[in-house]
Amino acid sequence: MPYDPSAFPAFAVTVDLVVLTVRRHSLCALAVRRGEPPFKGRWALPGGFVRADEDLAAAAARELAEETGLLAQDPTLPVPPNAAHLEQLATYGDPKRDPRMRVVSVAHLALAPDLPAPRAGGDAHSVRWAPVESLLDQDGAFGRDSDLAAPLAFDHARILADGVERARSKIEYSSLATAFCPQEFTVGELRRVYEAVWGVALDPRNFHRKVTGTPGFLVPTGGTTTRQGGRPAQLFRAGGATLLNPPMLRPEV
Amino acid sequence: MPYDPSAFPAFAVTVDLVVLTVRRHSLCALAVRRGEPPFKGRWALPGGFVRADEDLAAAAARELAEETGLLAQDPTLPVPPNAAHLEQLATYGDPKRDPRMRVVSVAHLALAPDLPAPRAGGDAHSVRWAPVESLLDQDGAFGRDSDLAAPLAFDHARILADGVERARSKIEYSSLATAFCPQEFTVGELRRVYEAVWGVALDPRNFHRKVTGTPGFLVPTGGTTTRQGGRPAQLFRAGGATLLNPPMLRPEV
DNA sequence: GATCATAGTCGTCTGCCTGACGATAATCAG
DNA sequence: CTGATTATCGTCAGGCAGACGACTATGATC
């Protein structure tokens, strides 16, 4: 294990972000259009270089804020209205993943509520929310006329797929699905998050029983809302519980 | 997102290994003694630089083979007798984690059966299996006379703790516990793996019912053994199933 | 060889949780 | 007022897990 500082290969280190949200009953990811080669004009995940004196999580939080205006959640602070969950996903370092040089990318996963306003910064033509199926669909089933038909740049399709799978499995045994909801939400809204992330339909009655019967998962705020139509629904906030036991298993195929 | 190859900070990238095994009913990790500063003489996780044209997984497999003679499992090949499970764990990149320079370490988790022979290569004084509790015990409860009393070098205690937690949670919902067993093993041996990893006692009858009743988890080889004493036990191999559904939840506290 | 300790294997019972689904409640659109 | 929509409560059967009794097959000990 030689440790001569001049005797190691130099790498570039980046962070790439899988930013997920639920809009219109569909799981969407943030994509940016590349303005330079390689893959110029293609869609890619947001990301950028880690600075020389910057922690990986800090770099991911900075990129997230630059692209979306969202703040990474700090457990020691009260939750601001534009907080997103941020966690490290995995690291991708295939020597050929970037044709120009050796780049190791530490991918992060961010889960955000549906943003009412377009993102701060960046122009609307080069950054957008897109349903994950269309981003992952390499065969162009979403139509040749769509500029989303081309696969994502670099190995970003793989990174996105890994991030989606992480989100899908993690909401099974944690309360992470609330990260997709605004601060106050109804049981039905939370159920639609599960349905969008898993791509299945859930029984509203059993779901209601499960989430309201799990101690610490939801705390009622006392208010009600009819924003979904129909009978007014109770509003809840996320409770302190982070681990669901027993988990809510997604339905079999 | 500027991409000028000369305009990015240079990082060193290493892989560190959390190699776990079960010996004498106790979860143990591989530790190496550092021969040079910083942290000279302290115990650390095995690891080393990623080579200029080497994939991260390949670097981890190489280090694993160098330290233990174990081969990383390749799903496309028949399982050799000295195969170990290897997966990426997480990446650690605090700017101050190495006092000499900026080093980003991609930690990997390896699960291996108890090795009957000492490791090939390396001398016995600088590499050893140690119970994870003693490695993680920073307060020296294992005695000042033990050279294990000092905490692990760098942020390796944190990495080890993350690896142990990954292993603990992953054997809940996967068949990964078989990676700690030899190719053929009994239900009782598998149960002792769970008990060692979780640090709890499990009911032998319920455990037997669960693992033999889960399709694809275990396949009987037809043989029996009495190496544990008592009534001869059936021998099994790991089946094709990798996901346990429903999972085997570890008992509450 | 009888006895004992040890480990493995098969059953039983009870309670909890889930999936399926009926029924009722409270709103809005016509 | 009627119907559509969503929320919420209840019921029931099946599956699974925890607790634990019973029996089996070996080696060790007397």
Side-chain angles (χ1 to χ4, degrees):
Chain A
M1 202 164 60
Y3 238 126
D4 174 5
S6 65
F8 65 89
F11 291 72
V13 176
T14 61
V15 289
D16 284 323
L17 291 180
V18 177
V19 190
L20 300 179
T21 194
V22 174
R23 357 181 62 200
R24 283 175 287 120
H25 294 197
S26 154
L27 183 64
C28 295
L30 198 64
V32 300
R33 195 198 291 270
R34 287 187 57 76
E36 344 183 347
F39 301 103
K40 177 168 181 175
R42 292 266 283 282
W43 293 95
L45 299 177
F49 286 107
V50 178
R51 296 180 179 164
D53 204 48
E54 186 180 44
D55 189 31
L56 300 174
R62 173 176 54 77
E63 292 287 342
L64 180 65
E66 287 175 5
E67 299 285 352
T68 68
L70 291 165
L71 297 175
Q73 254 179 42
D74 182 341
T76 65
L77 295 173
V79 181
N82 57 342
H85 171 86
L86 182 63
E87 67 179 45
Q88 195 187 103
L89 176 57
T91 299
Y92 301 82
D94 186 298
K96 298 191 167 25
R97 65 180 294 277
D98 188 312
R100 294 158 303 175
M101 57 182 178
R102 187 71 199 264
V103 178
V104 165
S105 176
V106 183
H108 286 68
L109 175 66
L111 308 184
D114 192 5
L115 300 177
R119 295 146 306 287
D123 72 284
H125 293 301
S126 62
V127 52
R128 61 175 292 186
W129 295 105
V132 294
E133 321 90 66
S134 70
L135 289 173
L136 291 175
D137 170 56
Q138 311 236 351
D139 301 330
F142 279 76
R144 280 204 189 79
D145 44 13
S146 165
D147 55 1
L148 281 173
L152 288 173
F154 304 107
D155 52 359
H156 288 187
R158 167 83 191 288
I159 298 176
L160 175 60
D162 290 348
V164 169
E165 178 50 34
R166 169 82 64 95
R168 283 186 175 146
S169 69
K170 206 153 180 180
I171 64 174
E172 283 190 336
Y173 56 89
S174 77
S175 61
L176 212 54
T178 58
F180 287 114
C181 294
Q183 281 193 281
E184 296 201 346
F185 53 90
T186 70
V187 173
E189 288 164 350
L190 183 62
R191 174 170 49 82
R192 274 172 224 107
V193 164
Y194 275 89
E195 292 179 332
V197 175
W198 285 343
V200 298
L202 299 175
D203 185 290
R205 298 156 290 189
N206 293 336
F207 183 87
H208 188 277
R209 178 182 59 191
K210 173 70 176 174
V211 297
T212 58
T214 300
F217 191 3
L218 300 179
V219 294
T221 66
T224 62
T225 182
T226 64
R227 61 177 169 236
Q228 297 293 337
R231 170 175 167 182
Q234 283 185 75
L235 285 169
F236 295 87
R237 270 201 312 271
T242 56
L243 247 49
L244 260 45
N245 211 317
M248 171 153 38
L249 298 174
R250 48 186 141 166
E252 319 263 331
V253 187
Chain B
M1 202 162 60
Y3 240 128
D4 174 5
S6 64
F8 65 89
F11 291 71
V13 175
T14 61
V15 289
D16 284 322
L17 292 180
V18 176
V19 190
L20 300 179
T21 195
V22 174
R23 357 180 62 200
R24 281 176 286 122
H25 295 195
S26 155
L27 183 64
C28 294
L30 197 65
V32 300
R33 196 199 290 273
R34 288 186 56 76
E36 343 182 348
F39 301 104
K40 178 168 180 174
R42 290 265 285 280
W43 292 95
L45 299 177
F49 287 106
V50 177
R51 295 178 180 166
D53 204 48
E54 187 179 43
D55 189 32
L56 300 175
R62 173 175 55 77
E63 292 286 341
L64 179 66
E66 288 175 5
E67 299 285 352
T68 67
L70 291 164
L71 297 175
Q73 255 178 40
D74 183 340
T76 65
L77 295 175
V79 181
N82 57 342
H85 171 85
L86 181 62
E87 66 178 49
Q88 195 186 104
L89 177 58
T91 299
Y92 301 82
D94 186 299
K96 296 192 168 28
R97 65 181 293 279
D98 188 311
R100 294 159 302 177
M101 57 183 177
R102 187 71 199 266
V103 178
V104 165
S105 176
V106 184
H108 285 69
L109 175 66
L111 308 184
D114 191 6
L115 300 177
R119 295 145 306 287
D123 71 285
H125 292 301
S126 62
V127 51
R128 63 175 291 184
W129 294 105
V132 294
E133 321 89 66
S134 69
L135 289 173
L136 290 174
D137 170 55
Q138 310 237 352
D139 301 330
F142 279 77
R144 280 203 189 81
D145 44 11
S146 163
D147 54 3
L148 283 172
L152 288 172
F154 303 107
D155 52 1
H156 288 186
R158 167 83 190 289
I159 298 176
L160 175 60
D162 290 348
V164 168
E165 178 50 34
R166 169 82 66 94
R168 283 184 174 148
S169 70
K170 207 154 179 180
I171 64 174
E172 283 190 337
Y173 57 88
S174 78
S175 61
L176 212 54
T178 59
F180 287 114
C181 294
Q183 279 192 282
E184 297 201 347
F185 53 90
T186 70
V187 174
E189 289 164 349
L190 183 62
R191 175 170 48 82
R192 279 181 278 276
V193 163
Y194 275 89
E195 292 179 331
V197 175
W198 285 344
V200 298
L202 300 175
D203 185 289
R205 299 156 290 191
N206 293 337
F207 183 86
H208 188 278
R209 178 182 58 192
K210 173 71 178 174
V211 296
T212 58
T214 300
F217 191 3
L218 300 181
V219 293
T221 66
T224 62
T225 183
T226 64
R227 62 178 169 237
Q228 297 291 338
R231 170 177 167 180
Q234 283 185 76
L235 284 169
F236 296 87
R237 270 202 311 272
T242 57
L243 247 50
L244 261 44
N245 210 318
M248 172 152 39
L249 298 175
R250 50 186 142 167
E252 319 263 329
V253 184

